[in-house]
Amino acid sequence: MQIVSAEVVVTSPGRNFVTLRLTTEDGVVGLGDATLNGRELAVRSYLDDHVVPLLLGRDASRIEDTWQYLYRGAYWRRGPVTMAAVAAVDTALWDIKAQCAGMPLYQLLGGACRTGALAYGHASGRDVPELLDSVRAHLEQGYRAVRVQTGIPGFDSVYGVASSAAGGGERYDYEPARRAAGSAPRPAVETWDTRAYLRHLPAVFEAVRAEFGPELPLLHDGHHRMTPVQAARLGKDLEPYDLFWLEDATPAEDQAALRLIRQHTTTPLAIGEVFNSVHDYTTLLSERLIDYVRSAVTHAGGVTAMRKLLDLAAVYGVRSGMHGPTDISPVGMAAALHLDLAVHNFGIQEFMRHSEQTLEVFRTSYRFEDGLLHPSDTPGLGVELDVEAARRFPYRQAYLPVSRLRDGTVHDW
C-alpha cells in the first residue's frame, strides 16, 4: 500500500489551515492537520521541502516506523514546526489505516471507553453582565462546562475575550490571530497588568457562581501571564469557586515553577498547549504537578505520540484535556475526538465551533449533542477536504496578539 501522492494544502476560510493529503496506490486518501497558528508557512515548507520527498513510495501501513523515521532521521528533534509536520503525516496514516480496516479510528485504537466526550465552550465578556450573557448562550447551545474569560476595567482588549476591540474591532470567535489596522500585517498589541487582573478575577467567579450555582464546571485560562507566586495566589483565591481547572497559570517551559503553585493551592492545574513532546511533561507527570494534559494531536506528533503521552499520564492519575480551539482544523479535532473516546483517562475536550466558511472546506461527520462530542462511525477520521473549496480561500498572513506592560515592555510573566 504505497503512498503515491502527498499534497500540502494551505487555505484560509476565515483563518489559516495547513492540511497534508496523502493518497495511496489504491486511491485511499488520508488527511493530517499541520496548522501552526502564525507560523503556517514554516510548516508548509518543512513538509514540502523535507518530508513529502521521503513519503512517496513508502508503505502507508508502517505508521510507527514512519513516525520514528521522521522524528529520529532528521537529527533535529522536537520543536513546534517539526512536530506539527510529523503529526500531519502520522494522523493521515492512521486515517488511511482505519479506512482500509473499514472502521472509525477509535475502534482501531481499542474501542470506546465512553458514550461521548464532555466538551467545554468559551464564554467571555468585556464586563460581568456581558460574560453572564455569554455563559447563558453557551448553556443554551448545550454545553455542560464553560471556560470563563473576562475583560479588566480600564483595558480595551484582553486576549480570550471575543468582543475585545484590538485588531480593528472584529470578534475573534473563529480567529484568535489578528491583523493590526493598516495594510502591513503586524501583531495587534494589547496592554496587560497582572496585578489588576489578580484583583479583578475572584469577584468575577463569585458573580458567575452566584448566577449559575455550584454544579456547573467552570474553567479559566491564565495564558501564561503570571509568575509562580502570582499563580499560587490566584489558585488560592479561586478555591472557594471550585474550578474544574486553572490553565496555563505560568509559562509552561519552567516545569519546576509548578512545584511552588502546587504547594499553595488545591485548584486543579492544566498545562501544555504549547508543548510538543512527551519530554516536556516528564517532571510535571512524575511529580504530579498537574491534573490535565493540554497538548493537541496537531502539535504533539500526531495520534501515535499523543496516545503514548496519555498512557504515561494515566500512570500518574493525570487526565486529558486536549487543546481544541479553531486553530486546530476539523481534521485535528476529529483525531482528538477519536482519542477522547478510546483512552481511559479522558478528562474534557476543548471545543470551539468552526465558522461556516471553514466547514465548506472541511466536511465533518462528528457531532456535538447534549454537551458531548461524538466522532462518527465513518471509517477513518470521518473528515473530507474539499480541495476546490480550499482554493477559493487563499492564505492571509496573521499573528497572535503581543502583550505589553504599561511601560511598553513585551510581557513575559
Side-chain angles (χ1 to χ4, degrees), residues 22-364:
L22 299 182
T23 306
T24 71
E25 58 189 335
D26 298 324
V28 181
V29 176
L31 301 177
D33 182 18
T35 306
L36 189 62
N37 199 354
R39 297 295 184 268
E40 298 90 356
L41 299 187
V43 187
R44 181 183 70 177
S45 175
Y46 193 102
L47 285 166
D48 273 337
D49 298 333
H50 303 291
V51 175
V52 165
L54 305 179
L55 298 176
L56 299 179
R58 191 170 182 83
D59 186 347
S61 68
R62 299 180 62 173
I63 298 177
E64 178 70 24
D65 184 62
T66 299
W67 196 98
Q68 300 295 343
Y69 176 70
L70 295 176
Y71 179 78
R72 300 179 188 279
Y75 183 75
W76 306 106
R77 301 180 186 179
R78 303 166 63 186
V81 174
T82 294
M83 297 307 285
V86 172
V89 176
D90 183 79
T91 302
L93 293 180
W94 277 108
D95 190 15
I96 289 169
K97 185 176 283 288
Q99 288 181 61
C100 291
M103 59 180 61
L105 177 57
Y106 74 83
Q107 291 287 13
L108 211 58
L109 297 175
C113 286
R114 55 196 52 81
T115 57
L118 178 66
Y120 72 88
H122 293 189
S124 67
R126 286 167 292 188
D127 53 28
V128 171
E130 187 175 271
L131 169 63
L132 297 180
D133 287 342
S134 181
V135 174
R136 289 188 198 97
H138 279 78
L139 296 179
E140 290 170 1
Q141 292 170 28
Y143 284 97
R144 300 184 194 173
V146 180
R147 192 186 81 168
V148 170
Q149 306 295 134
T150 182
I152 300 171
F155 292 82
D156 290 335
S157 180
V158 173
Y159 184 72
V161 178
S163 56
S164 289
E170 77 281 6
R171 292 179 64 91
Y172 58 93
D173 300 85
Y174 301 120
E175 173 54 289
R178 297 175 169 192
R179 300 159 183 86
S183 58
R186 293 287 188 275
V189 176
E190 298 178 343
T191 302
W192 180 253
D193 185 329
T194 304
R195 294 181 66 224
Y197 161 76
L198 293 174
R199 291 192 300 269
H200 180 62
L201 200 63
V204 171
F205 274 90
E206 182 179 21
V208 174
R209 278 288 179 227
E211 182 72 17
F212 298 103
E215 297 300 323
L216 178 63
L218 299 178
L219 304 87
H220 179 69
D221 191 345
H223 293 119
H224 309 109
R225 292 180 174 182
M226 289 168 274
T227 66
V229 169
Q230 291 169 334
R233 168 188 161 183
L234 181 62
K236 191 71 175 175
D237 289 347
L238 295 180
E239 284 178 11
Y241 310 111
D242 188 25
L243 268 64
F244 188 96
W245 77 34
L246 173 60
E247 176 188 347
D248 290 343
T250 196
E253 301 95 312
D254 184 3
Q255 297 188 33
L258 274 293
R259 293 183 184 131
L260 187 149
I261 302 170
R262 195 62 135 181
Q263 289 168 1
H264 290 88
T265 181
T266 58
T267 296
L269 302 173
I271 209 162
E273 72 179 61
V274 300
F275 290 169
N276 50 71
S277 166
V278 66
H279 301 290
D280 296 315
Y281 284 99
T282 51
T283 298
L284 301 177
L285 294 177
S286 63
E287 297 187 23
R288 294 177 170 84
L289 300 180
I290 60 172
D291 302 280
Y292 297 92
V293 165
R294 285 283 292 134
S295 288
V297 173
T298 300
H299 301 139
V303 173
T304 295
M306 198 68 197
R307 179 62 185 263
K308 291 177 181 179
L309 169 58
L310 294 178
D311 285 345
L312 177 62
V315 173
Y316 297 100
V318 175
R319 294 184 174 272
S320 72
M322 280 186 276
H323 190 52
T326 51
D327 58 0
I328 303 297
S329 87
V331 175
M333 176 58 69
L337 297 184
H338 285 277
L339 269 174
D340 288 338
L341 215 61
V343 298
H344 176 259
N345 56 323
F346 169 76
I348 200 167
Q349 175 64 55
E350 182 176 16
F351 176 58
M352 225 176 152
R353 296 174 186 269
H354 285 99
S355 70
E356 291 302 317
Q357 284 186 329
T358 296
L359 297 177
E360 288 178 31
V361 174
F362 298 92
R363 297 171 181 169
T364 63

